[in-house]
Amino acid sequence: MPSIRNVAAPYWAEFIGTMILTLVGLGVTAQNLTSSTTRKTEALNSSLAWGLAVTLGIWTSEHVSGGHINPAVTLSRAIFSGFQATRVLGYLVAQTLGAFTGALLVWVNFGAALGDLPKGKGMHPAALAFITTGGTWTGLVGEVTASFIFVLAVFAITDTTSTAKSIAPLAMGLAFSAASLGVSSPLGLAINPARDLGPRVFAALAYGFDVFAHGSFYFWVPLAGPIVGGVAGAFVYEWLVRRDAAYHALEEGAAH
């Protein structure tokens, strides 16, 4: 009979991996908000940092849980890759709690500087270190598009016939940076529902529940968009791009 520790290990791995992802990514976002010298390079800084954050999070958790650290990836794996349905809810909860904890650690580090940001009417500007925001339609299109690219890349990188599989965490981080640079604004996209929901709940507790009403109740966009785009990306790879392993082996043999 497996021990409780071994049963719980994948969920802890998802929690810690997503915490690292959020801690690194939101840390750079907080630096951008509180610094007066990074505005011109903010988009590049943010995209590269989030890519590195994805790499670190996956490296931490991949060998234990598969390194999903993203509900869009977990749901896509459950639909197309045989990931156990009984684990889905636990993974989603662990990812969201990990993101919440990462946000808490960022607040511990940057809370004083964020608190000094000039406050106007409405939502406290410090909350922008933790949430994504933008126009509803443009945000939704961006989330769907970037998540489509990212999850498609994840499925391609982890294909058993892929030459990138040996460096999967780094390759996935680069894919995330590429999707972010190509589609996102520095505060615009999550490409990960847990990355927005967990920190948004923390921001609500720290700065007020205006974070949910902000931007015409924008909070649903980074929840729905990545799931729609991620599932679509996984579908395209699994049904239009991927070849069966037996066919691939046969073709490789013919080439030699």
Side-chain angles (χ1 to χ4, degrees):
M1 180 179 294
S3 68
I4 293 177
R5 175 179 173 276
N6 288 328
V7 171
Y11 304 101
W12 278 115
E14 287 296 306
F15 173 89
I16 293 169
T18 312
M19 181 188 72
I20 291 172
L21 159 72
T22 310
L23 173 60
V24 174
L26 291 184
V28 171
T29 302
Q31 288 183 52
N32 287 338
L33 275 176
T34 56
S35 172
S36 61
T37 61
T38 61
R39 293 296 175 183
K40 291 184 179 180
T41 60
E42 190 173 346
L44 179 62
N45 289 350
S46 181
S47 295
L48 292 179
W50 279 103
L52 289 172
V54 168
T55 295
L56 289 173
I58 293 173
W59 253 325
T60 302
S61 58
E62 180 190 27
H63 58 295
V64 179
S65 65
H68 296 186
I69 63 171
N70 185 333
V73 173
T74 297
L75 291 171
S76 297
R77 290 292 190 197
I79 295 170
F80 296 105
S81 297
F83 181 71
Q84 292 177 321
T86 54
R87 289 190 171 191
V88 169
L89 180 60
Y91 268 47
L92 301 188
V93 171
Q95 291 157 0
T96 304
L97 290 176
F100 178 94
T101 305
L104 170 62
L105 294 175
V106 169
W107 179 81
V108 169
N109 195 23
F110 292 97
L114 290 170
D116 289 338
L117 292 173
K119 187 180 185 305
K121 294 182 179 179
M123 186 181 72
H124 195 294
L128 291 173
F130 303 97
I131 68 172
T132 59
T133 187
T136 300
W137 174 245
T138 55
L140 184 61
V141 171
E143 290 285 3
V144 171
T145 304
S147 299
F148 174 89
I149 294 168
F150 176 63
V151 176
L152 175 65
V154 167
F155 272 66
I157 290 163
T158 56
D159 193 315
T160 55
T161 62
S162 172
T163 57
K165 191 174 182 181
S166 60
I167 56 166
L170 179 59
M172 290 183 205
L174 290 172
F176 193 96
S177 289
S180 180
L181 279 169
V183 181
S184 179
S185 66
L187 299 175
L189 299 184
I191 321 179
N192 182 333
R195 167 263 177 272
D196 188 88
L197 179 59
R200 192 178 291 267
V201 171
F202 173 80
L205 296 175
Y207 301 109
F209 283 82
D210 287 348
V211 297
F212 285 99
H214 181 72
S216 301
F217 296 91
Y218 184 85
F219 77 91
W220 69 269
V221 173
L223 298 180
I227 292 172
V228 172
V231 170
F235 172 82
V236 166
Y237 187 79
E238 288 294 312
W239 288 93
L240 301 181
V241 179
R242 186 179 70 85
R243 295 184 296 182
D244 292 337
Y247 180 85
H248 180 82
L250 183 65
E251 189 175 71
E252 286 289 304
H256 291 86

